[in-house]
């Protein structure tokens, strides 16, 4: 969200576009100004981002480029010759936000052309465009190490701390990872479910495959904390499994508070 709402060009463009679409073209500019600053506060300044860590949040995109650029120089997709779950999971924010918002998209074109090309390749991926032979690579190349380090020492600890805070009925918590720190960030239900899914997926592996995964993290510390953590089991599957809203379930209407203050995060 930093690249969408902090740069003035992006903030004004997206604020005006969204306000024009959901309110009225005549009110696009004033409503867009209000909406963009609401988003800036809701998703950044009131969610743990501050003057001390704002540059670290900005540079998270460059850390992803440092991983993706050499990888996509060698192979067309993240795990090899064909798209995988890894591609589609990465694709969501890379395409919708970074690849389309004006400032981040230009940054990607200039500094990460392999990544920009991969977005188009994945968008246009069709069975008849892919080779019959599938070639897969394990995450052992040197450029994987910083990514594995972030997974083990920033992402998984964040999910764990978020889950602990949420289950303790805390609205906010202070996150401390290896390279990032967010004070007063919001405890989010969806990310509790994400952590549970990752725990379940790992513990459902065979002993042989568990050890295989652990070998990928041999050169970084921290992954054993995830392996040895207490399993969190919450009944949230019905909230997040597809179809997200069955056809026979009525879509909730927009209340005045939602129009003014936005959709609740949880």
């Amino acid at each position: 969200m930093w690249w969408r709402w902090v740069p003035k060009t992006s903030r004004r463009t997206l604020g005006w576009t969204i306000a024009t679409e959901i309110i009225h073209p005549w009110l696009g500019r004033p409503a867009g100004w209000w909406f963009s600053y609401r988003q800036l506060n809701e998703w950044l300044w009131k969610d743990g981002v501050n003057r001390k860590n704002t540059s670290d949040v900005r540079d998270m995109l460059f850390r992803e480029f440092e991983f993706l650029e050499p990888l996509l120089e060698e192979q067309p997709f993240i795990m090899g010759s064909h798209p995988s779950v890894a591609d589609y999971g990465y694709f969501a924010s890379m395409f919708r936000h970074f690849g389309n918002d004006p400032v981040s998209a230009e940054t990607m074109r200039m500094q990460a052309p392999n990544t920009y090309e991969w977005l188009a390749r994945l968008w246009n991926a069709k069975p008849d465009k892919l080779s019959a032979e599938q070639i897969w690579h394990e995450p052992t190349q040197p450029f994987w190490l910083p990514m594995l380090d972030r997974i083990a020492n920033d992402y998984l600890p964040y999910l764990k701390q978020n889950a602990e805070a949420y289950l303790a009925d805390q609205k906010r918590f202070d996150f401390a990872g290896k390279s990032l720190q967010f004070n007063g960030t919001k405890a989010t239900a969806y990310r509790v479910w994400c952590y549970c899914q990752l725990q379940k997926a790992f513990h459902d592996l065979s002993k042989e495959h568990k050890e295989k995964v652990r070998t990928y993290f041999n050169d970084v510390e921290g992954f054993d904390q995830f392996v040895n953590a207490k399993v969190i089991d919450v009944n949230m599957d019905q909230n997040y499994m597809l179809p997200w809203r069955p056809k026979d379930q009525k879509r909730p209407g927009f209340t005045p508070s939602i129009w003014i203050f936005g959709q609740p995060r949880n």
Side-chain angles (χ1 to χ4, degrees):
M1 287 298 179
W2 191 99
W3 285 90
R4 169 165 284 193
W5 299 117
V6 173
K8 185 181 295 185
T9 299
S10 184
R11 182 170 67 245
R12 288 180 174 177
T13 301
L14 273 298
W16 180 84
T17 301
I18 294 172
T20 298
E21 290 178 352
I22 67 174
I23 301 178
H24 194 280
W26 292 353
L27 299 175
R29 290 191 182 279
W33 179 90
W34 173 86
F35 181 80
S36 63
Y37 276 96
R38 186 191 74 83
Q39 294 296 92
L40 188 63
N41 282 316
E42 178 71 16
W43 292 94
L44 290 161
W45 309 138
K46 292 183 179 179
D47 200 16
V49 180
N50 53 46
R51 291 181 179 180
K52 291 183 178 180
N53 64 17
T54 183
S55 60
D56 293 330
V57 175
R58 176 200 62 204
D59 291 348
M60 289 170 68
L61 180 60
F62 298 120
R63 302 294 82 78
E64 301 310 309
F65 290 162
E66 290 170 0
F67 161 66
L68 289 169
E69 282 300 291
L71 183 150
L72 295 169
E73 182 72 29
E74 294 187 2
Q75 57 202 50
F77 298 101
I78 290 178
M79 301 306 299
S81 62
H82 287 61
S84 67
V85 172
D87 291 275
Y88 290 109
Y90 231 129
F91 181 78
S93 58
M94 276 290 174
F95 177 79
R96 182 62 187 89
H97 291 285
F98 302 125
N100 280 279
D101 292 354
V103 176
S104 55
E106 179 64 12
T107 301
M108 187 185 297
R109 286 190 291 268
M110 297 299 293
Q111 300 193 29
N114 290 327
T115 305
Y116 198 70
E117 182 183 26
W118 163 74
L119 292 180
R121 186 184 307 122
L122 189 58
W123 177 263
N124 197 38
K126 297 178 176 64
D128 60 349
K129 291 180 177 289
L130 300 171
S131 64
E133 181 185 11
Q134 297 186 18
I135 301 174
W136 302 102
H137 301 290
E138 295 186 3
T140 56
Q141 298 101 318
F143 46 72
W144 274 95
L145 282 179
M147 166 59 72
L148 295 172
D149 188 32
R150 290 196 295 275
I151 291 173
N153 295 298
D154 283 320
Y155 183 61
L156 291 175
Y158 165 78
L159 291 181
K160 180 176 183 292
Q161 293 174 38
N162 174 80
E164 291 171 344
Y166 183 85
L167 295 175
D169 292 326
Q170 298 176 12
K171 299 296 184 183
R172 296 177 180 271
F173 67 101
D174 294 337
F175 164 67
K178 180 178 179 179
S179 61
L180 293 167
Q181 182 171 340
F182 299 108
N183 293 329
T185 191
K186 295 181 180 180
T188 307
Y190 170 68
R191 290 167 186 159
V192 177
W193 181 76
C194 291
Y195 188 65
C196 293
Q197 292 297 301
L198 289 173
Q199 283 192 312
K200 184 178 186 302
F202 180 79
H203 288 289
D204 284 349
L205 294 174
S206 66
K207 182 178 180 180
E208 177 186 358
H209 287 139
K210 285 179 182 176
E211 289 304 313
K212 186 69 172 177
V213 171
R214 294 178 75 167
T215 62
Y216 298 144
F217 291 87
N218 280 345
D219 293 329
V220 300
E221 299 178 354
F223 187 68
D224 280 347
Q225 296 180 30
F226 169 75
V227 173
N228 299 322
K230 179 182 178 181
V231 175
I232 296 175
D233 186 15
V234 293
N235 186 22
M236 291 184 175
D237 286 356
Q238 71 279 5
N239 296 334
Y240 300 110
M241 298 297 286
L242 296 176
W244 185 65
R245 182 178 289 111
K247 293 181 179 180
D248 59 352
Q249 183 176 340
K250 186 178 180 181
R251 182 182 180 89
F254 277 87
T255 64
S257 64
I258 290 179
W259 276 109
I260 296 172
F261 300 109
Q263 185 74 27
R265 289 282 293 276
N266 281 332

